[in-house]
Amino acid sequence: MNTGKIINFNEFRDNRGALISLEENSNIPFAIKRIYYLYDVLESRGFHAHKQLEQVMICVHGSVVVKLEDETGNQSIKLNSKSEGLYIGSNVWREMHEFTPGTIVMVVASEKYDESDYIRDYQVFKKEMLK
Ligand code: T46
C-alpha cells in the first residue's frame, strides 16, 4: 500500500450510535503489534522516520494536519474523521501539526516500540533514507 493512502473504514451505524472495527490483514494492511494514542497535545509532534515500521493513523476526535515526505515527494493530509485511516509506510518523514484542542489520534502499528527503528535527525533521513 502506498504511503499517504486513506483507508475508508466501514461504519456500523444504527439507532444506538456507530461502531468501527479494525482488523489486522484486513482493513489494517498488516499484523497489528501495538496501538497507542496521542491526546492533550499542545504542539507539533513527530519529526522522525521509521526504518521498518508501518502505521495507520486515525484521528478519532478533532483534527490534525500530517505532513509526509518520502522518495516520491511531500504530502500534507488533514485528518478529521474517525472513519478514515492514513497509511504510513517505512522510510517516511512525518510531522503532525495544527492539532485542534481536544484532538485524539490513535495509531495502529506493525511493530512493538523500538527506539532503534527511529531516524530522528532530518539530515540523516535525507542522506540515508532518500538515497
Ligand atoms: C509516530 C508518531 C505518529 C513509548 O515508550 N512507546 C511507544 O509505543 C511510543 C509511540 C512512544 N513511546 C515513548 C517514547 C518517547 O519517550 O513515548 C515518548 C514520546 O514518543 P515520541 O516522541 O516518539 O512521540 P511522537 O508523537 O513524536 O511520535 C509518535 C510515535 O513515536 C511515532 O512512531 O509515527 O507518533
Side-chain angles (χ1 to χ4, degrees):
M1 179 171 289
N2 293 334
T3 283
K5 183 174 180 330
I6 293 288
I7 303 168
N8 290 298
F9 301 124
N10 196 17
E11 182 185 79
F12 296 93
R13 183 174 288 277
D14 57 30
N15 55 10
R16 298 166 299 170
L19 181 153
I20 288 173
S21 161
L22 308 178
E23 289 193 8
E24 64 181 0
N25 298 320
S26 178
N27 58 359
I28 299 297
F30 48 74
I32 299 168
K33 294 251 182 74
R34 176 168 54 112
I35 296 171
Y36 61 92
Y37 39 97
L38 306 166
Y39 56 97
D40 290 349
V41 179
L42 298 176
E43 57 186 50
S44 297
R45 301 185 66 115
F47 302 93
H48 59 259
H50 285 281
K51 298 173 193 169
Q52 302 292 336
L53 190 70
E54 295 174 87
Q55 304 193 107
V56 174
M57 188 181 286
I58 304 147
C59 187
V60 294
H61 185 74
S63 71
V64 61
V65 174
V66 184
K67 294 189 174 171
L68 302 175
E69 179 181 2
D70 64 10
E71 79 283 354
T72 66
N74 297 282
Q75 302 179 63
S76 183
I77 300 125
K78 184 169 188 171
L79 293 179
N80 58 8
S81 168
K82 338 173 155 51
S83 62
E84 290 183 349
L86 173 65
Y87 174 77
I88 307 175
S90 57
N91 299 344
V92 180
W93 188 263
R94 84 280 322 267
E95 300 177 4
M96 294 172 283
H97 299 282
E98 298 176 41
F99 286 84
T100 54
T103 290
I104 303 171
V105 175
M106 185 169 73
V107 184
V108 181
S110 66
E111 304 296 336
K112 292 185 178 176
Y113 176 71
D114 176 6
E115 186 58 37
S116 72
D117 188 63
Y118 285 70
I119 306 280
R120 293 191 182 272
D121 183 320
Y122 185 67
Q123 296 313 322
V124 172
F125 167 74
K126 292 289 265 187
K127 210 162 111 186
E128 298 294 322
M129 312 295 262
L130 299 184
K131 68 186 173 194

